[in-house]
Amino acid sequence: MNWLVPAYPWIKVAHIFSVIAWMAGLFYLPRLFVYHAEAPPGSDQAATFKVMERRLLRGIMNPAMIATYIFGIGLAAVPGTVDWAAGWIWVKLLGVAALTGFHHLLARWRKDFAADRNRRGARFFRFVNEIPTLLLLLIIAMVVAKPF
Ligand code: HEM
């Protein structure tokens, strides 16, 4: 895979760009759910939130998540980038797995809102909004500081 070495900095540019787009959606969608949970079902406001949530998930978050994976795996394939005997990459990938699980939970909650069967309140979505923040902190600490 030595032919990938000269492309390493550009793959990292694409990786970080995709990460930022994905994280923007992971922060914004729960915030939309907070306001949507307070809007009367069937109202014009609720209908607007449904459109915003669907476009954010399908138009930005899904492609950004896939791109984050493609360029992340691309970086891992560059010889010398990852020492698989080190601990940081495994803790990072655990964090990425948790972030991906959270993405799928958001997709399931979006379907509940779209079908007017959401039963969770604004307080619940304010609380879960903190999850991507904590996971982002863990992932960045592992990949930048590589503490172990
Ligand atoms: C399957 C998913 C992922 C894989 C396989 C992956 C893999 C990698 C690899 C191998 C590097 C290069 C490390 C180096 O050059 O020292 C990297 C860099 C980076 N990754 Fe990921 N990553 C993934 C997802 C993510 C996610 C979800 C985030 C943030 C939420 C993230 C944030 C970063 C950052 C900020 C860098 C640049 C670090 C630096 O330049 O020091 N990655 N990633």
Side-chain angles (χ1 to χ4, degrees), residues 8 12 15-16 19 22-23 68-77 81-82 84 88-89 92-93 96 99 135-136 139-140 143-146:
Y8 167 77
K12 195 183 272 190
H15 183 56
I16 297 174
V19 162
W22 188 25
M23 291 309 304
T68 296
Y69 268 76
I70 290 172
F71 296 119
I73 293 164
L75 283 170
T81 302
V82 177
W84 295 98
W88 70 267
I89 185 70
K92 178 183 177 182
L93 292 178
V96 173
L99 215 52
L135 289 172
L136 179 63
I139 292 169
I140 288 183
V143 72
V144 175
K146 298 183 173 70

PDB file of all heavy atoms in Angstrom, residues 8 12 15-16 19 22-23 68-77 81-82 84 88-89 92-93 96 99 135-136 139-140 143-146, ligand 1:
ATOM      1  N   TYR A   8      -1.496  10.571   1.851  1.00  0.00           N
ATOM      2  CA  TYR A   8      -1.852  10.593   3.276  1.00  0.00           C
ATOM      3  C   TYR A   8      -2.410  11.949   3.738  1.00  0.00           C
ATOM      4  O   TYR A   8      -3.509  12.001   4.313  1.00  0.00           O
ATOM      5  CB  TYR A   8      -0.635  10.178   4.106  1.00  0.00           C
ATOM      6  CG  TYR A   8      -0.745  10.452   5.588  1.00  0.00           C
ATOM      7  CD1 TYR A   8      -1.511   9.627   6.398  1.00  0.00           C
ATOM      8  CD2 TYR A   8      -0.081  11.518   6.170  1.00  0.00           C
ATOM      9  CE1 TYR A   8      -1.617   9.877   7.755  1.00  0.00           C
ATOM     10  CE2 TYR A   8      -0.178  11.779   7.525  1.00  0.00           C
ATOM     11  CZ  TYR A   8      -0.943  10.950   8.304  1.00  0.00           C
ATOM     12  OH  TYR A   8      -1.045  11.203   9.647  1.00  0.00           O
ATOM     13  N   LYS A  12      -6.334  12.636   4.997  1.00  0.00           N
ATOM     14  CA  LYS A  12      -6.634  13.179   6.329  1.00  0.00           C
ATOM     15  C   LYS A  12      -7.493  14.441   6.225  1.00  0.00           C
ATOM     16  O   LYS A  12      -8.412  14.635   7.019  1.00  0.00           O
ATOM     17  CB  LYS A  12      -5.346  13.470   7.108  1.00  0.00           C
ATOM     18  CG  LYS A  12      -5.626  13.685   8.581  1.00  0.00           C
ATOM     19  CD  LYS A  12      -4.390  14.057   9.370  1.00  0.00           C
ATOM     20  CE  LYS A  12      -3.652  12.857   9.872  1.00  0.00           C
ATOM     21  NZ  LYS A  12      -2.576  13.268  10.851  1.00  0.00           N
ATOM     22  N   HIS A  15     -10.849  13.180   5.643  1.00  0.00           N
ATOM     23  CA  HIS A  15     -11.359  12.519   6.854  1.00  0.00           C
ATOM     24  C   HIS A  15     -11.877  13.557   7.851  1.00  0.00           C
ATOM     25  O   HIS A  15     -13.001  13.463   8.338  1.00  0.00           O
ATOM     26  CB  HIS A  15     -10.248  11.685   7.475  1.00  0.00           C
ATOM     27  CG  HIS A  15     -10.634  10.894   8.688  1.00  0.00           C
ATOM     28  ND1 HIS A  15     -11.664   9.989   8.704  1.00  0.00           N
ATOM     29  CD2 HIS A  15     -10.119  10.888   9.944  1.00  0.00           C
ATOM     30  CE1 HIS A  15     -11.756   9.446   9.901  1.00  0.00           C
ATOM     31  NE2 HIS A  15     -10.840   9.972  10.679  1.00  0.00           N
ATOM     32  N   ILE A  16     -11.060  14.557   8.142  1.00  0.00           N
ATOM     33  CA  ILE A  16     -11.460  15.574   9.130  1.00  0.00           C
ATOM     34  C   ILE A  16     -12.663  16.374   8.625  1.00  0.00           C
ATOM     35  O   ILE A  16     -13.582  16.689   9.393  1.00  0.00           O
ATOM     36  CB  ILE A  16     -10.270  16.486   9.494  1.00  0.00           C
ATOM     37  CG1 ILE A  16      -9.170  15.654  10.164  1.00  0.00           C
ATOM     38  CG2 ILE A  16     -10.699  17.640  10.387  1.00  0.00           C
ATOM     39  CD1 ILE A  16      -7.890  16.412  10.450  1.00  0.00           C
ATOM     40  N   VAL A  19     -15.649  14.187   9.178  1.00  0.00           N
ATOM     41  CA  VAL A  19     -15.919  14.121  10.619  1.00  0.00           C
ATOM     42  C   VAL A  19     -16.687  15.366  11.072  1.00  0.00           C
ATOM     43  O   VAL A  19     -17.675  15.273  11.799  1.00  0.00           O
ATOM     44  CB  VAL A  19     -14.593  14.001  11.413  1.00  0.00           C
ATOM     45  CG1 VAL A  19     -14.788  14.375  12.874  1.00  0.00           C
ATOM     46  CG2 VAL A  19     -14.025  12.602  11.313  1.00  0.00           C
ATOM     47  N   TRP A  22     -20.292  15.263   9.870  1.00  0.00           N
ATOM     48  CA  TRP A  22     -21.056  14.259  10.628  1.00  0.00           C
ATOM     49  C   TRP A  22     -21.362  14.753  12.037  1.00  0.00           C
ATOM     50  O   TRP A  22     -22.505  14.694  12.505  1.00  0.00           O
ATOM     51  CB  TRP A  22     -20.273  12.931  10.672  1.00  0.00           C
ATOM     52  CG  TRP A  22     -21.025  11.775  11.261  1.00  0.00           C
ATOM     53  CD1 TRP A  22     -22.391  11.611  11.322  1.00  0.00           C
ATOM     54  CD2 TRP A  22     -20.474  10.607  11.849  1.00  0.00           C
ATOM     55  NE1 TRP A  22     -22.702  10.416  11.940  1.00  0.00           N
ATOM     56  CE2 TRP A  22     -21.540   9.767  12.250  1.00  0.00           C
ATOM     57  CE3 TRP A  22     -19.152  10.164  12.062  1.00  0.00           C
ATOM     58  CZ2 TRP A  22     -21.335   8.529  12.867  1.00  0.00           C
ATOM     59  CZ3 TRP A  22     -18.948   8.915  12.680  1.00  0.00           C
ATOM     60  CH2 TRP A  22     -20.030   8.123  13.089  1.00  0.00           C
ATOM     61  N   MET A  23     -20.316  15.325  12.707  1.00  0.00           N
ATOM     62  CA  MET A  23     -20.520  15.816  14.073  1.00  0.00           C
ATOM     63  C   MET A  23     -21.534  16.958  14.106  1.00  0.00           C
ATOM     64  O   MET A  23     -22.325  17.058  15.044  1.00  0.00           O
ATOM     65  CB  MET A  23     -19.194  16.294  14.683  1.00  0.00           C
ATOM     66  CG  MET A  23     -18.183  15.202  14.975  1.00  0.00           C
ATOM     67  SD  MET A  23     -18.835  13.800  15.928  1.00  0.00           S
ATOM     68  CE  MET A  23     -19.488  14.586  17.383  1.00  0.00           C
ATOM     69  N   THR A  68     -16.625   9.460   6.459  1.00  0.00           N
ATOM     70  CA  THR A  68     -15.717   9.384   7.611  1.00  0.00           C
ATOM     71  C   THR A  68     -15.089   7.997   7.691  1.00  0.00           C
ATOM     72  O   THR A  68     -13.886   7.851   7.900  1.00  0.00           O
ATOM     73  CB  THR A  68     -16.487   9.683   8.920  1.00  0.00           C
ATOM     74  OG1 THR A  68     -16.954  11.031   8.884  1.00  0.00           O
ATOM     75  CG2 THR A  68     -15.617   9.503  10.144  1.00  0.00           C
ATOM     76  N   TYR A  69     -15.932   6.974   7.476  1.00  0.00           N
ATOM     77  CA  TYR A  69     -15.441   5.585   7.501  1.00  0.00           C
ATOM     78  C   TYR A  69     -14.472   5.313   6.341  1.00  0.00           C
ATOM     79  O   TYR A  69     -13.396   4.746   6.546  1.00  0.00           O
ATOM     80  CB  TYR A  69     -16.621   4.606   7.425  1.00  0.00           C
ATOM     81  CG  TYR A  69     -17.160   4.175   8.769  1.00  0.00           C
ATOM     82  CD1 TYR A  69     -17.961   5.045   9.516  1.00  0.00           C
ATOM     83  CD2 TYR A  69     -16.878   2.931   9.292  1.00  0.00           C
ATOM     84  CE1 TYR A  69     -18.453   4.647  10.747  1.00  0.00           C
ATOM     85  CE2 TYR A  69     -17.369   2.525  10.521  1.00  0.00           C
ATOM     86  CZ  TYR A  69     -18.160   3.387  11.243  1.00  0.00           C
ATOM     87  OH  TYR A  69     -18.642   2.988  12.467  1.00  0.00           O
ATOM     88  N   ILE A  70     -14.871   5.734   5.121  1.00  0.00           N
ATOM     89  CA  ILE A  70     -14.024   5.442   3.946  1.00  0.00           C
ATOM     90  C   ILE A  70     -12.643   6.077   4.124  1.00  0.00           C
ATOM     91  O   ILE A  70     -11.613   5.414   3.961  1.00  0.00           O
ATOM     92  CB  ILE A  70     -14.712   5.946   2.659  1.00  0.00           C
ATOM     93  CG1 ILE A  70     -15.937   5.088   2.355  1.00  0.00           C
ATOM     94  CG2 ILE A  70     -13.730   5.941   1.475  1.00  0.00           C
ATOM     95  CD1 ILE A  70     -16.807   5.611   1.218  1.00  0.00           C
ATOM     96  N   PHE A  71     -12.596   7.359   4.500  1.00  0.00           N
ATOM     97  CA  PHE A  71     -11.302   8.037   4.628  1.00  0.00           C
ATOM     98  C   PHE A  71     -10.559   7.605   5.889  1.00  0.00           C
ATOM     99  O   PHE A  71      -9.326   7.579   5.911  1.00  0.00           O
ATOM    100  CB  PHE A  71     -11.495   9.553   4.569  1.00  0.00           C
ATOM    101  CG  PHE A  71     -12.020  10.038   3.242  1.00  0.00           C
ATOM    102  CD1 PHE A  71     -13.235  10.691   3.153  1.00  0.00           C
ATOM    103  CD2 PHE A  71     -11.315   9.802   2.077  1.00  0.00           C
ATOM    104  CE1 PHE A  71     -13.722  11.117   1.916  1.00  0.00           C
ATOM    105  CE2 PHE A  71     -11.783  10.224   0.836  1.00  0.00           C
ATOM    106  CZ  PHE A  71     -13.000  10.873   0.762  1.00  0.00           C
ATOM    107  N   GLY A  72     -11.300   7.206   6.941  1.00  0.00           N
ATOM    108  CA  GLY A  72     -10.637   6.686   8.134  1.00  0.00           C
ATOM    109  C   GLY A  72      -9.945   5.368   7.843  1.00  0.00           C
ATOM    110  O   GLY A  72      -8.786   5.150   8.219  1.00  0.00           O
ATOM    111  N   ILE A  73     -10.652   4.478   7.120  1.00  0.00           N
ATOM    112  CA  ILE A  73     -10.058   3.190   6.738  1.00  0.00           C
ATOM    113  C   ILE A  73      -8.893   3.437   5.774  1.00  0.00           C
ATOM    114  O   ILE A  73      -7.853   2.774   5.844  1.00  0.00           O
ATOM    115  CB  ILE A  73     -11.132   2.260   6.140  1.00  0.00           C
ATOM    116  CG1 ILE A  73     -12.130   1.875   7.245  1.00  0.00           C
ATOM    117  CG2 ILE A  73     -10.514   1.022   5.498  1.00  0.00           C
ATOM    118  CD1 ILE A  73     -13.433   1.279   6.752  1.00  0.00           C
ATOM    119  N   GLY A  74      -9.058   4.455   4.899  1.00  0.00           N
ATOM    120  CA  GLY A  74      -7.966   4.830   3.990  1.00  0.00           C
ATOM    121  C   GLY A  74      -6.713   5.236   4.764  1.00  0.00           C
ATOM    122  O   GLY A  74      -5.599   4.800   4.441  1.00  0.00           O
ATOM    123  N   LEU A  75      -6.914   6.035   5.820  1.00  0.00           N
ATOM    124  CA  LEU A  75      -5.770   6.453   6.653  1.00  0.00           C
ATOM    125  C   LEU A  75      -5.136   5.255   7.344  1.00  0.00           C
ATOM    126  O   LEU A  75      -3.914   5.132   7.415  1.00  0.00           O
ATOM    127  CB  LEU A  75      -6.230   7.468   7.693  1.00  0.00           C
ATOM    128  CG  LEU A  75      -6.457   8.891   7.209  1.00  0.00           C
ATOM    129  CD1 LEU A  75      -7.145   9.724   8.289  1.00  0.00           C
ATOM    130  CD2 LEU A  75      -5.138   9.541   6.809  1.00  0.00           C
ATOM    131  N   ALA A  76      -5.986   4.356   7.836  1.00  0.00           N
ATOM    132  CA  ALA A  76      -5.466   3.181   8.549  1.00  0.00           C
ATOM    133  C   ALA A  76      -4.688   2.269   7.604  1.00  0.00           C
ATOM    134  O   ALA A  76      -3.802   1.531   8.032  1.00  0.00           O
ATOM    135  CB  ALA A  76      -6.618   2.417   9.187  1.00  0.00           C
ATOM    136  N   ALA A  77      -5.007   2.356   6.309  1.00  0.00           N
ATOM    137  CA  ALA A  77      -4.323   1.507   5.313  1.00  0.00           C
ATOM    138  C   ALA A  77      -2.965   2.076   4.900  1.00  0.00           C
ATOM    139  O   ALA A  77      -2.165   1.363   4.277  1.00  0.00           O
ATOM    140  CB  ALA A  77      -5.224   1.374   4.072  1.00  0.00           C
ATOM    141  N   THR A  81       0.891   4.345   9.653  1.00  0.00           N
ATOM    142  CA  THR A  81       0.001   5.298  10.334  1.00  0.00           C
ATOM    143  C   THR A  81      -0.477   4.762  11.675  1.00  0.00           C
ATOM    144  O   THR A  81      -0.540   5.487  12.657  1.00  0.00           O
ATOM    145  CB  THR A  81      -1.222   5.596   9.439  1.00  0.00           C
ATOM    146  OG1 THR A  81      -0.763   6.108   8.213  1.00  0.00           O
ATOM    147  CG2 THR A  81      -2.143   6.604  10.086  1.00  0.00           C
ATOM    148  N   VAL A  82      -0.851   3.467  11.708  1.00  0.00           N
ATOM    149  CA  VAL A  82      -1.402   2.909  12.947  1.00  0.00           C
ATOM    150  C   VAL A  82      -0.522   1.767  13.467  1.00  0.00           C
ATOM    151  O   VAL A  82      -0.205   0.836  12.726  1.00  0.00           O
ATOM    152  CB  VAL A  82      -2.839   2.381  12.720  1.00  0.00           C
ATOM    153  CG1 VAL A  82      -3.370   1.745  13.993  1.00  0.00           C
ATOM    154  CG2 VAL A  82      -3.752   3.506  12.268  1.00  0.00           C
ATOM    155  N   TRP A  84      -1.022  -1.161  15.575  1.00  0.00           N
ATOM    156  CA  TRP A  84      -2.189  -1.881  16.105  1.00  0.00           C
ATOM    157  C   TRP A  84      -1.918  -2.497  17.484  1.00  0.00           C
ATOM    158  O   TRP A  84      -2.841  -2.963  18.136  1.00  0.00           O
ATOM    159  CB  TRP A  84      -2.658  -2.932  15.099  1.00  0.00           C
ATOM    160  CG  TRP A  84      -3.168  -2.293  13.839  1.00  0.00           C
ATOM    161  CD1 TRP A  84      -2.459  -2.134  12.669  1.00  0.00           C
ATOM    162  CD2 TRP A  84      -4.437  -1.664  13.632  1.00  0.00           C
ATOM    163  NE1 TRP A  84      -3.219  -1.458  11.747  1.00  0.00           N
ATOM    164  CE2 TRP A  84      -4.455  -1.152  12.311  1.00  0.00           C
ATOM    165  CE3 TRP A  84      -5.559  -1.476  14.436  1.00  0.00           C
ATOM    166  CZ2 TRP A  84      -5.541  -0.464  11.776  1.00  0.00           C
ATOM    167  CZ3 TRP A  84      -6.657  -0.797  13.905  1.00  0.00           C
ATOM    168  CH2 TRP A  84      -6.649  -0.297  12.596  1.00  0.00           C
ATOM    169  N   TRP A  88      -4.484   3.306  21.826  1.00  0.00           N
ATOM    170  CA  TRP A  88      -5.310   4.467  21.431  1.00  0.00           C
ATOM    171  C   TRP A  88      -6.268   4.138  20.301  1.00  0.00           C
ATOM    172  O   TRP A  88      -7.441   4.578  20.327  1.00  0.00           O
ATOM    173  CB  TRP A  88      -4.414   5.659  21.045  1.00  0.00           C
ATOM    174  CG  TRP A  88      -3.662   5.492  19.762  1.00  0.00           C
ATOM    175  CD1 TRP A  88      -2.387   4.991  19.616  1.00  0.00           C
ATOM    176  CD2 TRP A  88      -4.115   5.816  18.446  1.00  0.00           C
ATOM    177  NE1 TRP A  88      -2.024   4.975  18.287  1.00  0.00           N
ATOM    178  CE2 TRP A  88      -3.071   5.478  17.538  1.00  0.00           C
ATOM    179  CE3 TRP A  88      -5.293   6.335  17.918  1.00  0.00           C
ATOM    180  CZ2 TRP A  88      -3.191   5.656  16.158  1.00  0.00           C
ATOM    181  CZ3 TRP A  88      -5.409   6.512  16.538  1.00  0.00           C
ATOM    182  CH2 TRP A  88      -4.369   6.185  15.681  1.00  0.00           C
ATOM    183  N   ILE A  89      -5.787   3.384  19.304  1.00  0.00           N
ATOM    184  CA  ILE A  89      -6.636   3.117  18.142  1.00  0.00           C
ATOM    185  C   ILE A  89      -7.857   2.268  18.531  1.00  0.00           C
ATOM    186  O   ILE A  89      -8.953   2.488  18.009  1.00  0.00           O
ATOM    187  CB  ILE A  89      -5.833   2.453  16.986  1.00  0.00           C
ATOM    188  CG1 ILE A  89      -6.689   2.285  15.727  1.00  0.00           C
ATOM    189  CG2 ILE A  89      -5.262   1.107  17.410  1.00  0.00           C
ATOM    190  CD1 ILE A  89      -7.039   3.567  15.004  1.00  0.00           C
ATOM    191  N   LYS A  92     -10.224   4.506  20.387  1.00  0.00           N
ATOM    192  CA  LYS A  92     -10.842   5.390  19.385  1.00  0.00           C
ATOM    193  C   LYS A  92     -11.941   4.656  18.631  1.00  0.00           C
ATOM    194  O   LYS A  92     -13.051   5.173  18.474  1.00  0.00           O
ATOM    195  CB  LYS A  92      -9.807   5.917  18.387  1.00  0.00           C
ATOM    196  CG  LYS A  92     -10.458   6.788  17.325  1.00  0.00           C
ATOM    197  CD  LYS A  92      -9.543   7.299  16.253  1.00  0.00           C
ATOM    198  CE  LYS A  92     -10.376   8.076  15.259  1.00  0.00           C
ATOM    199  NZ  LYS A  92      -9.639   8.587  14.140  1.00  0.00           N
ATOM    200  N   LEU A  93     -11.644   3.445  18.160  1.00  0.00           N
ATOM    201  CA  LEU A  93     -12.646   2.700  17.380  1.00  0.00           C
ATOM    202  C   LEU A  93     -13.863   2.321  18.220  1.00  0.00           C
ATOM    203  O   LEU A  93     -14.988   2.291  17.711  1.00  0.00           O
ATOM    204  CB  LEU A  93     -12.000   1.482  16.729  1.00  0.00           C
ATOM    205  CG  LEU A  93     -10.975   1.803  15.632  1.00  0.00           C
ATOM    206  CD1 LEU A  93     -10.350   0.535  15.068  1.00  0.00           C
ATOM    207  CD2 LEU A  93     -11.591   2.640  14.513  1.00  0.00           C
ATOM    208  N   VAL A  96     -15.852   5.382  18.117  1.00  0.00           N
ATOM    209  CA  VAL A  96     -16.495   5.514  16.805  1.00  0.00           C
ATOM    210  C   VAL A  96     -17.708   4.577  16.720  1.00  0.00           C
ATOM    211  O   VAL A  96     -18.758   4.948  16.199  1.00  0.00           O
ATOM    212  CB  VAL A  96     -15.496   5.208  15.677  1.00  0.00           C
ATOM    213  CG1 VAL A  96     -16.192   5.172  14.325  1.00  0.00           C
ATOM    214  CG2 VAL A  96     -14.369   6.227  15.657  1.00  0.00           C
ATOM    215  N   LEU A  99     -20.490   6.175  18.647  1.00  0.00           N
ATOM    216  CA  LEU A  99     -21.023   7.315  17.881  1.00  0.00           C
ATOM    217  C   LEU A  99     -21.934   6.814  16.750  1.00  0.00           C
ATOM    218  O   LEU A  99     -22.985   7.393  16.478  1.00  0.00           O
ATOM    219  CB  LEU A  99     -19.839   8.100  17.293  1.00  0.00           C
ATOM    220  CG  LEU A  99     -19.915   9.613  17.172  1.00  0.00           C
ATOM    221  CD1 LEU A  99     -20.308  10.284  18.459  1.00  0.00           C
ATOM    222  CD2 LEU A  99     -18.588  10.157  16.639  1.00  0.00           C
ATOM    223  N   LEU A 135     -18.238  11.744  23.474  1.00  0.00           N
ATOM    224  CA  LEU A 135     -17.564  10.786  22.583  1.00  0.00           C
ATOM    225  C   LEU A 135     -16.536  11.487  21.697  1.00  0.00           C
ATOM    226  O   LEU A 135     -15.445  10.964  21.467  1.00  0.00           O
ATOM    227  CB  LEU A 135     -18.591  10.038  21.738  1.00  0.00           C
ATOM    228  CG  LEU A 135     -19.455   9.028  22.500  1.00  0.00           C
ATOM    229  CD1 LEU A 135     -20.565   8.479  21.614  1.00  0.00           C
ATOM    230  CD2 LEU A 135     -18.589   7.895  23.045  1.00  0.00           C
ATOM    231  N   LEU A 136     -16.869  12.682  21.234  1.00  0.00           N
ATOM    232  CA  LEU A 136     -15.926  13.441  20.406  1.00  0.00           C
ATOM    233  C   LEU A 136     -14.649  13.743  21.185  1.00  0.00           C
ATOM    234  O   LEU A 136     -13.535  13.587  20.676  1.00  0.00           O
ATOM    235  CB  LEU A 136     -16.574  14.739  19.925  1.00  0.00           C
ATOM    236  CG  LEU A 136     -15.712  15.661  19.076  1.00  0.00           C
ATOM    237  CD1 LEU A 136     -15.299  14.997  17.774  1.00  0.00           C
ATOM    238  CD2 LEU A 136     -16.434  16.976  18.787  1.00  0.00           C
ATOM    239  N   ILE A 139     -12.580  10.556  21.419  1.00  0.00           N
ATOM    240  CA  ILE A 139     -11.984  10.166  20.129  1.00  0.00           C
ATOM    241  C   ILE A 139     -10.809  11.075  19.781  1.00  0.00           C
ATOM    242  O   ILE A 139      -9.732  10.606  19.400  1.00  0.00           O
ATOM    243  CB  ILE A 139     -13.049  10.189  19.015  1.00  0.00           C
ATOM    244  CG1 ILE A 139     -14.080   9.091  19.233  1.00  0.00           C
ATOM    245  CG2 ILE A 139     -12.414  10.068  17.638  1.00  0.00           C
ATOM    246  CD1 ILE A 139     -15.305   9.196  18.333  1.00  0.00           C
ATOM    247  N   ILE A 140     -11.009  12.382  19.935  1.00  0.00           N
ATOM    248  CA  ILE A 140      -9.930  13.319  19.570  1.00  0.00           C
ATOM    249  C   ILE A 140      -8.735  13.165  20.515  1.00  0.00           C
ATOM    250  O   ILE A 140      -7.583  13.192  20.080  1.00  0.00           O
ATOM    251  CB  ILE A 140     -10.449  14.760  19.543  1.00  0.00           C
ATOM    252  CG1 ILE A 140     -11.353  14.927  18.329  1.00  0.00           C
ATOM    253  CG2 ILE A 140      -9.331  15.768  19.478  1.00  0.00           C
ATOM    254  CD1 ILE A 140     -11.862  16.309  18.143  1.00  0.00           C
ATOM    255  N   VAL A 143      -6.803  10.075  19.269  1.00  0.00           N
ATOM    256  CA  VAL A 143      -6.105  10.111  17.975  1.00  0.00           C
ATOM    257  C   VAL A 143      -5.037  11.200  17.906  1.00  0.00           C
ATOM    258  O   VAL A 143      -4.042  11.050  17.182  1.00  0.00           O
ATOM    259  CB  VAL A 143      -7.122  10.244  16.813  1.00  0.00           C
ATOM    260  CG1 VAL A 143      -7.745  11.624  16.748  1.00  0.00           C
ATOM    261  CG2 VAL A 143      -6.474   9.897  15.482  1.00  0.00           C
ATOM    262  N   VAL A 144      -5.229  12.292  18.680  1.00  0.00           N
ATOM    263  CA  VAL A 144      -4.225  13.375  18.634  1.00  0.00           C
ATOM    264  C   VAL A 144      -3.119  13.136  19.671  1.00  0.00           C
ATOM    265  O   VAL A 144      -1.933  13.215  19.369  1.00  0.00           O
ATOM    266  CB  VAL A 144      -4.895  14.750  18.830  1.00  0.00           C
ATOM    267  CG1 VAL A 144      -3.850  15.855  18.916  1.00  0.00           C
ATOM    268  CG2 VAL A 144      -5.879  15.035  17.694  1.00  0.00           C
ATOM    269  N   ALA A 145      -3.496  12.801  20.902  1.00  0.00           N
ATOM    270  CA  ALA A 145      -2.488  12.614  21.964  1.00  0.00           C
ATOM    271  C   ALA A 145      -1.901  11.202  21.978  1.00  0.00           C
ATOM    272  O   ALA A 145      -0.777  11.012  22.474  1.00  0.00           O
ATOM    273  CB  ALA A 145      -3.125  12.925  23.317  1.00  0.00           C
ATOM    274  N   LYS A 146      -2.654  10.224  21.446  1.00  0.00           N
ATOM    275  CA  LYS A 146      -2.191   8.827  21.430  1.00  0.00           C
ATOM    276  C   LYS A 146      -1.564   8.468  22.788  1.00  0.00           C
ATOM    277  O   LYS A 146      -0.384   8.096  22.861  1.00  0.00           O
ATOM    278  CB  LYS A 146      -1.192   8.607  20.295  1.00  0.00           C
ATOM    279  CG  LYS A 146      -1.796   8.850  18.901  1.00  0.00           C
ATOM    280  CD  LYS A 146      -0.788   8.555  17.809  1.00  0.00           C
ATOM    281  CE  LYS A 146      -1.386   8.615  16.425  1.00  0.00           C
ATOM    282  NZ  LYS A 146      -1.768   9.970  15.948  1.00  0.00           N
TER     283      LYS A 146
HETATM  284  C1  HEM B   1     -14.171   3.962  11.162  1.00  0.00           C
HETATM  285  C2  HEM B   1     -13.920   5.129  11.508  1.00  0.00           C
HETATM  286  C3  HEM B   1     -12.537   5.768  11.662  1.00  0.00           C
HETATM  287  C4  HEM B   1     -11.280   5.269  11.385  1.00  0.00           C
HETATM  288  C5  HEM B   1     -10.902   3.884  10.848  1.00  0.00           C
HETATM  289  C6  HEM B   1     -10.321   6.330  11.701  1.00  0.00           C
HETATM  290  C7  HEM B   1      -8.933   6.212  11.544  1.00  0.00           C
HETATM  291  C8  HEM B   1      -8.066   7.287  11.636  1.00  0.00           C
HETATM  292  C9  HEM B   1      -6.635   7.209  11.377  1.00  0.00           C
HETATM  293  C10 HEM B   1      -5.887   5.947  11.021  1.00  0.00           C
HETATM  294  C11 HEM B   1      -6.126   8.465  11.523  1.00  0.00           C
HETATM  295  C12 HEM B   1      -4.669   8.925  11.294  1.00  0.00           C
HETATM  296  C13 HEM B   1      -3.955   8.991  12.603  1.00  0.00           C
HETATM  297  C14 HEM B   1      -2.573   9.592  12.402  1.00  0.00           C
HETATM  298  O1  HEM B   1      -2.228  10.052  11.363  1.00  0.00           O
HETATM  299  O2  HEM B   1      -1.825   9.607  13.381  1.00  0.00           O
HETATM  300  C15 HEM B   1      -7.232   9.337  11.870  1.00  0.00           C
HETATM  301  C16 HEM B   1      -7.093  10.687  12.089  1.00  0.00           C
HETATM  302  C17 HEM B   1      -8.084  11.423  12.696  1.00  0.00           C
HETATM  303  N1  HEM B   1      -9.345  10.988  13.045  1.00  0.00           N
HETATM  304 FE1  HEM B   1     -10.192   9.235  12.544  1.00  0.00          FE
HETATM  305  N2  HEM B   1     -10.994   7.436  12.156  1.00  0.00           N
HETATM  306  C18 HEM B   1     -12.352   7.118  12.164  1.00  0.00           C
HETATM  307  C19 HEM B   1     -13.370   7.925  12.599  1.00  0.00           C
HETATM  308  C20 HEM B   1     -13.155   9.147  13.205  1.00  0.00           C
HETATM  309  C21 HEM B   1     -14.173   9.896  13.913  1.00  0.00           C
HETATM  310  C22 HEM B   1     -15.626   9.450  14.071  1.00  0.00           C
HETATM  311  C23 HEM B   1     -13.574  11.034  14.395  1.00  0.00           C
HETATM  312  C24 HEM B   1     -14.144  12.162  15.209  1.00  0.00           C
HETATM  313  C25 HEM B   1     -15.346  12.177  15.715  1.00  0.00           C
HETATM  314  C26 HEM B   1     -12.183  11.009  13.958  1.00  0.00           C
HETATM  315  C27 HEM B   1     -11.265  12.015  14.200  1.00  0.00           C
HETATM  316  C28 HEM B   1      -9.987  12.031  13.672  1.00  0.00           C
HETATM  317  C29 HEM B   1      -9.081  13.198  13.725  1.00  0.00           C
HETATM  318  C30 HEM B   1      -9.401  14.563  14.346  1.00  0.00           C
HETATM  319  C31 HEM B   1      -7.891  12.813  13.094  1.00  0.00           C
HETATM  320  C32 HEM B   1      -6.616  13.679  12.861  1.00  0.00           C
HETATM  321  C33 HEM B   1      -5.651  13.434  13.990  1.00  0.00           C
HETATM  322  C34 HEM B   1      -4.308  14.139  13.762  1.00  0.00           C
HETATM  323  O3  HEM B   1      -4.064  14.712  12.723  1.00  0.00           O
HETATM  324  O4  HEM B   1      -3.484  14.105  14.669  1.00  0.00           O
HETATM  325  N3  HEM B   1     -11.955   9.837  13.258  1.00  0.00           N
HETATM  326  N4  HEM B   1      -8.394   8.594  11.939  1.00  0.00           N
END
